[in-house]
Amino acid sequence: EGLTLGLADSDSDGDTDGLALSETEGETLGLALSLAEGETLVLRAATGEAGRKMLERGHQLPIDDRSMVGWCIGHETARIALDVGDDAVRFNNPDLPDTHSELALPLISRGQVLGAMSVQSTETAAFSPQDITVLQTMADQVSTAIANAQLLEQSRAASQQAEARLREVQFLQSVGQAVSSSLDLSVVMDMVMN
């Protein structure tokens, strides 16, 4: 209700690949998606004004036990703080001063941790067991979509490398044919250079 996560190949102009998050006006939930890059989480998508600010400045957190998302990645399990004031493991984000509940879910696909999804609310005890189940299902689907996109990218790169190798082999084959078809050095050099 009021919060939408979408995976898209491109925006309306066809310019960028990535994640699209949106929310209805007045919504008290915020959603952020961070991807692991080495020992750091890099914010890739977020809702609301605070999310926009964090994206603009390239918000990052270390993957360690000092934040909810870092903790959930390190332990590969969800972390829920129904009252963030009572939770010792929470990065106090100045962009989200009104957060009272937070849920951090690891994004895991095929046994590999890809990142984390964090949901914040201005309400204390905002997440019911049913909410947590739905959000974990959504996180699992996002994980699969991200992993599939990464596999597609790897497949495209491998295909480009294979095509480059094929061109090299074809060139070497033509040089070999030129060398074997003539004993005249100038004829061989002309064939190789053309």
Side-chain angles (χ1 to χ4, degrees):
E1 175 182 312
L3 190 60
T4 305
L5 170 67
L7 294 170
D9 290 331
S10 62
D11 62 14
S12 59
D13 298 323
D15 291 335
T16 60
D17 291 344
L19 293 162
L21 301 174
S22 62
E23 62 181 325
T24 59
E25 192 168 323
E27 180 60 63
T28 59
L29 285 178
L31 178 65
L33 185 105
S34 302
L35 297 182
E37 294 182 10
E39 295 297 313
T40 304
L41 275 171
V42 179
L43 185 65
R44 294 292 184 204
T47 59
E49 182 64 20
R52 184 190 60 75
K53 287 178 184 177
M54 289 187 295
L55 284 167
E56 284 177 357
R57 71 169 185 270
H59 184 70
Q60 298 182 11
L61 286 173
I63 299 174
D64 61 22
D65 287 353
R66 292 180 285 171
S67 69
M68 295 273 294
V69 291
W71 187 96
C72 85
I73 287 177
H75 295 268
E76 297 184 15
T77 190
R79 180 150 187 128
I80 302 141
L82 295 178
D83 184 351
V84 296
D86 292 340
D87 197 309
V89 177
R90 182 168 187 282
F91 169 72
N92 189 14
N93 190 331
D95 292 311
L96 301 166
D98 297 325
T99 297
H100 290 286
S101 295
E102 184 174 357
L103 173 62
L105 302 157
L107 300 174
I108 300 172
S109 180
R110 300 174 185 105
Q112 180 183 4
V113 178
L114 306 173
M117 186 172 80
S118 174
V119 185
Q120 305 88 24
S121 174
T122 57
E123 304 294 321
T124 302
F127 306 112
S128 70
Q130 295 83 6
D131 294 332
I132 295 166
T133 299
V134 167
L135 290 167
Q136 183 63 64
T137 300
M138 186 171 83
D140 294 343
Q141 292 170 347
V142 168
S143 300
T144 300
I146 290 169
N148 287 344
Q150 289 173 338
L151 286 173
L152 180 60
E153 188 176 301
Q154 290 169 1
S155 175
R156 286 179 180 163
S159 177
Q160 289 173 348
Q161 287 178 340
E163 289 172 8
R165 295 275 187 229
L166 177 61
R167 286 190 297 275
E168 291 171 3
V169 168
Q170 289 171 335
F171 172 74
L172 292 173
Q173 182 182 16
S174 68
V175 169
Q177 287 175 345
V179 169
S180 65
S181 67
S182 175
L183 296 176
D184 184 351
L185 182 59
S186 63
V187 172
V188 170
M189 292 304 290
D190 285 342
M191 287 183 192
V192 170
M193 299 310 286
N194 295 327

